[in-house]
Amino acid sequence: ALAKKALNKSIQNVFLGVPFGATYEEACEKLPQDFWFDKRITTKDRLSLNPKRGGKISFGGRAWDHLDMYFSNNRFYNISLYSTHKTKEGAMSDYNELHSVISQKYNMTDMPTNDTTKYGYTVGITKTNQCVAVQCYSYESVEHERWIGVFLEYFDWNFEGISEEL
């Protein structure tokens, strides 16, 4: 059984100048110009961004390879920053360091999983339906390459809802 941990009071809710709840259009306007939109996977529900010309995305004192922003009913509710690795060892080293840093700021709980592609997963939840997560798992890229990603994700489920339209 998981030990019950205290809920976090709050999490960060503005990313690169874009607050949770912003519309897709507002997010596109506020994002720095040093990104390009990955049109292969960008949709009206997901902005997939990469730094221009081999650069990195700077966030939280770390350098990230990619950034995805998710929208529901045209409201920003989730951000996923991630770094890519070719080896499990490199990814796990990065994950453990990130886990340590995030655990100093938030009350986190390690989540058990039977998924053999998921190497690490820890989560922190707030009283106001928000969440921060650190994950490490193997995935296949658009180009069908195998990568191991280390992810830092923030969610605000207060803006995610099911549209009442048919």
Side-chain angles (χ1 to χ4, degrees):
L2 292 174
K4 185 164 179 146
K5 287 202 172 184
L7 294 176
N8 292 289
K9 186 174 183 179
S10 65
I11 61 167
Q12 179 168 331
N13 63 4
V14 177
F15 307 90
L16 304 171
V18 181
F20 278 138
T23 65
Y24 186 95
E25 295 75 19
E26 291 167 339
C28 289
E29 287 174 16
K30 289 185 179 188
L31 287 169
Q33 297 301 307
D34 51 350
F35 292 114
W36 60 273
F37 293 84
D38 190 339
K39 294 190 182 342
R40 299 168 300 175
I41 51 181
T42 291
T43 67
K44 69 179 183 107
D45 296 326
R46 176 184 181 184
L47 279 175
S48 186
L49 306 166
N50 294 307
K52 289 186 178 173
R53 280 267 174 203
K56 297 281 186 177
I57 298 165
S58 178
F59 178 81
R62 296 177 60 93
W64 302 92
D65 296 317
H66 307 282
L67 164 80
D68 289 338
M69 299 174 77
Y70 295 90
F71 299 80
S72 181
N73 293 324
N74 199 35
R75 296 289 174 193
F76 170 45
Y77 77 95
N78 170 284
I79 188 166
S80 177
L81 296 122
Y82 57 106
S83 296
T84 55
H85 301 269
K86 276 296 190 185
T87 68
K88 182 178 177 182
E89 295 75 24
M92 285 306 297
S93 175
D94 190 20
Y95 169 81
N96 288 330
E97 191 269 327
L98 178 60
H99 181 285
S100 176
V101 169
I102 292 296
S103 294
Q104 291 174 28
K105 186 171 182 178
Y106 300 109
N107 294 319
M108 304 295 285
T109 301
D110 289 332
M111 305 299 290
T113 179
N114 292 329
D115 183 344
T116 59
T117 64
K118 192 169 279 197
Y119 308 122
Y121 182 33
T122 187
V123 117
I125 299 174
T126 70
K127 295 176 184 177
T128 59
N129 212 21
Q130 296 175 318
C131 170
V132 58
V134 178
Q135 298 189 67
C136 179
Y137 59 86
S138 177
Y139 67 94
E140 187 175 312
S141 72
V142 174
E143 296 87 14
H144 305 291
E145 293 180 84
R146 180 60 49 198
W147 291 94
I148 301 171
V150 175
F151 297 79
L152 173 60
E153 298 177 276
Y154 292 87
F155 303 84
D156 188 336
W157 286 296
N158 297 307
F159 295 102
E160 182 180 14
I162 298 171
S163 173
E164 293 189 27
E165 295 177 23
L166 293 177

